[in-house]
Amino acid sequence: MRKVYAIAINTFREAVRDRILYLLLIFAILIMSTARVVSLLTIGSEEKIVKDVGLAAINIFSVLIGIFVGVGLVFKEIEKKTIYTIVTKPIERYQFIVGKYFGLTMTVFINLVIMAVIFYMVLAIQSYFDPDLGKAILLTFVEILVVTAIAILFSSFSTPILSSVFTISLYVIGHLSWSFLLLKNYVDVAWGKRLCDFFYYVVPNLEYFNIRSEVVHGIPLNGWYILSASAYGVGWSLLLITLASIIFQRRNFN
């Protein structure tokens, strides 16, 4: 565990020096701070719009940080040729991947906490404070666990550009996976039905973590739903990191 911890801390230090992380964080804070202006330009309850815009900003920018920092983590080690030094040391390759993953999730978690604190400060100033919004932020973090695991998986065998394209594509498909069961009813050919089943069962259902509408509109949520969604996200993360470790183990760096 000490080796994994050392790689995680080193990855965290590298990530916090990444300029794109600060640009995304500043942009997210600006959007949350201007949520009230957005609410004045749209029709509907000002309070709900402020909450909705704030939660959406936290979700989108956390995902972008996870993707754009995550896809380059392994590639940078290969590009700088530091990976050749790492693989010669007494450290298992799966420990390297797991350490990178923990370092990235630590980075995203701290950024998520910063955005959440600022979001609650904005709400408190406008007397819209609502502790139930924390449930949506919690499941956003669980979703980020899955998305960063996908980014690490593609990063283990591909370039940053292709990894970004693949991860963003899976992110979009993951939020639309529920529609493949509906689409299956309108497809006549057998291979088309199998393709719909493939996307529905093989791609993580990221919409499972989206409870923003429920918390914004005050719809009661079963505690079991939060627990099962968290377990679902952790399960997918473990599976994806295991796949990334197997692929990275088979790579030849000689």
Side-chain angles (χ1 to χ4, degrees):
M1 282 302 292
R2 282 192 301 176
K3 294 174 182 176
V4 173
Y5 176 76
I7 293 173
I9 291 297
N10 188 54
T11 301
F12 174 73
R13 289 173 179 161
E14 285 181 11
V16 295
R17 287 198 293 264
D18 204 324
R19 293 178 183 174
I20 191 170
L21 185 149
Y22 293 106
L23 288 175
L24 290 170
L25 184 60
I26 291 170
F27 200 56
I29 292 170
L30 282 175
I31 287 185
M32 283 188 292
S33 302
T34 56
R36 190 166 189 275
V37 177
V38 175
S39 69
L40 297 175
L41 301 176
T42 55
I43 299 173
S45 168
E46 180 182 310
E47 179 181 351
K48 290 175 181 175
I49 292 172
V50 169
K51 290 178 179 177
D52 201 33
V53 170
L55 289 176
I58 289 174
N59 181 274
I60 291 170
F61 287 101
S62 295
V63 168
L64 290 178
I65 289 171
I67 291 175
F68 288 115
V69 177
V71 295
L73 283 181
V74 177
F75 185 80
K76 283 180 182 176
E77 302 287 356
I78 298 171
E79 191 179 43
K80 295 177 182 175
K81 302 189 186 306
T82 51
I83 190 69
Y84 300 102
T85 306
I86 293 171
V87 295
T88 57
K89 291 184 176 179
I91 179 172
E92 299 292 337
R93 294 192 182 186
Y94 80 86
Q95 293 175 320
F96 176 77
I97 291 294
V98 173
K100 286 285 181 186
Y101 177 67
F102 281 151
L104 178 57
T105 53
M106 196 187 310
T107 307
V108 177
F109 175 74
I110 290 176
N111 279 276
L112 186 68
V113 170
I114 293 171
M115 286 189 281
V117 168
I118 292 172
F119 178 48
Y120 269 110
M121 287 171 63
V122 171
L123 292 175
I125 291 171
Q126 299 172 349
S127 303
Y128 295 154
F129 188 85
D130 184 355
D132 277 350
L133 299 180
K135 296 175 183 174
I137 296 173
L138 171 64
L139 287 193
T140 290
F141 178 65
V142 178
E143 180 180 356
I144 303 308
L145 291 179
V146 180
V147 174
T148 52
I150 293 172
I152 294 280
L153 171 63
F154 288 125
S155 173
S156 66
F157 65 88
S158 185
T159 64
I161 294 176
L162 285 177
S163 297
S164 300
V165 172
F166 293 149
T167 307
I168 292 172
S169 299
L170 272 188
Y171 174 77
V172 174
I173 294 172
H175 274 282
L176 297 174
S177 63
W178 56 271
S179 63
F180 288 107
L181 278 187
L182 296 177
L183 181 63
K184 182 181 174 183
N185 297 325
Y186 296 96
V187 175
D188 296 328
V189 291
W191 66 266
K193 292 181 180 293
R194 285 197 291 272
L195 192 63
C196 290
D197 284 335
F198 174 81
F199 281 119
Y200 181 75
Y201 290 109
V202 174
V203 177
N205 180 8
L206 299 181
E207 195 60 22
Y208 198 16
F209 310 115
N210 182 8
I211 58 169
R212 293 192 297 275
S213 295
E214 286 82 353
V215 296
V216 167
H217 291 88
I219 300 172
L221 277 168
N222 190 334
W224 173 249
Y225 183 90
I226 305 291
L227 189 62
S228 63
S230 301
Y232 177 78
V234 171
W236 264 107
S237 302
L238 287 172
L239 176 63
L240 291 165
I241 289 302
T242 302
L243 284 175
S245 300
I246 292 171
I247 292 171
F248 194 68
Q249 182 71 34
R250 294 173 181 270
R251 288 197 64 172
N252 184 8
F253 295 108
N254 296 325

